[in-house]
Amino acid sequence: MTVPTLENERVLLTPLTIENYKELITIAQEKDLIYYSPSIISTKETLREYVKVALKGLDNKATLPFIIYDKQQKKFAGSTRFGLINWKNKVLHIGWTWIGHEFQGTGLNAHVKFLMLSYAFETLMFEKVEFRIDQRNEKSKKAVEKLGASLEGILRKDTLMNDGFRRSTCCYGILKEEWPTIRSTIFKSF
């Protein structure tokens, strides 16, 4: 299985590889970049392991990992992926998304999500896209709500964090039949 290249005027999503992840080392070391994630990426070694896990998922047809390039700033900005891909039921997750602090709040993430949602619904013809977010992460919850995702429920204390805290996870979703309206209203300028 190959990871597609997705692109619009603002962002370029290309396959994340064991070669190009090095472009993200400095960003991955930014303070509290993935505070609400159980992953660790703050050193070259932990970032490499993170990428290896993503690529193993690609080998198992369970993930499609991307490196994010901001065409406006002409810089690599972070990473994202499709994950927990259920080919039979046509459901996948968009997540594992992190972008450097200088790119946050610039509209870059909305462009990333637009490309990914378009690909999931219009090319893969999936039935549903899900997002999983730490209940404490207000910024990410507001971002997916702004994309038109609906809160479907909360998994209570389902994830053990690196500091021993058991987080609760908010589950959001967008259905295939909701996508045309979301595309024409929320993403009308894309």
Side-chain angles (χ1 to χ4, degrees), residues 173-189:
I174 297 175
L175 301 175
K176 178 176 74 174
E177 56 267 25
E178 296 168 336
W179 174 240
T181 301
I182 290 170
R183 181 183 176 109
S184 66
T185 55
I186 295 171
F187 294 109
K188 61 182 171 253
S189 63

Side-chain angles (χ1 to χ4, degrees), residues 26-37:
T26 302
I27 293 169
Q29 294 172 350
E30 292 179 12
K31 183 173 173 34
D32 294 332
L33 186 67
I34 61 167
Y35 178 81
Y36 294 108
S37 170

Side-chain angles (χ1 to χ4, degrees), residues 3-22:
V3 179
T5 295
L6 306 177
E7 180 177 15
N8 66 16
E9 70 284 343
R10 175 65 194 276
V11 66
L12 174 65
L13 302 177
T14 56
L16 179 65
T17 68
I18 207 67
E19 290 80 27
N20 68 10
Y21 87 93
K22 296 174 185 126

Side-chain angles (χ1 to χ4, degrees), residues 75-88:
K75 295 180 187 178
F76 286 97
S79 181
T80 191
R81 74 179 90 142
F82 292 118
L84 301 173
I85 302 172
N86 184 323
W87 295 96
K88 179 182 178 205

Side-chain angles (χ1 to χ4, degrees), residues 82-85 90-94 120 124 126 128-130:
F82 292 118
L84 301 173
I85 302 172
K90 300 277 193 190
V91 176
L92 58 73
H93 291 226
I94 292 177
L124 295 178
F126 268 46
K128 183 178 182 186
V129 172
E130 297 180 343

Side-chain angles (χ1 to χ4, degrees), residues 67-158:
I67 189 168
I68 301 167
Y69 183 78
D70 185 329
K71 293 167 71 173
Q72 192 174 61
Q73 294 195 38
K74 297 182 174 43
K75 295 180 187 178
F76 286 97
S79 181
T80 191
R81 74 179 90 142
F82 292 118
L84 301 173
I85 302 172
N86 184 323
W87 295 96
K88 179 182 178 205
N89 292 313
K90 300 277 193 190
V91 176
L92 58 73
H93 291 226
I94 292 177
W96 303 269
T97 304
W98 46 273
I99 58 175
H101 293 304
E102 74 175 286
F103 304 95
Q104 294 176 17
T106 66
L108 178 68
N109 191 42
H111 282 270
V112 168
K113 296 303 189 288
F114 172 76
L115 289 172
M116 295 178 80
L117 288 165
S118 296
Y119 186 78
F121 289 123
E122 299 168 19
T123 301
L124 295 178
M125 305 303 289
F126 268 46
E127 294 293 321
K128 183 178 182 186
V129 172
E130 297 180 343
F131 303 85
R132 301 275 172 108
I133 300 168
D134 187 317
Q135 187 177 28
R136 302 169 296 167
N137 190 343
E138 293 298 325
K139 188 175 182 181
S140 289
K141 290 189 316 185
K142 285 179 184 169
V144 296
E145 289 166 3
K146 192 173 177 181
L147 295 176
S150 298
L151 179 63
E152 298 181 338
I154 299 172
L155 302 174
R156 299 179 302 154
K157 296 189 176 187
D158 72 311

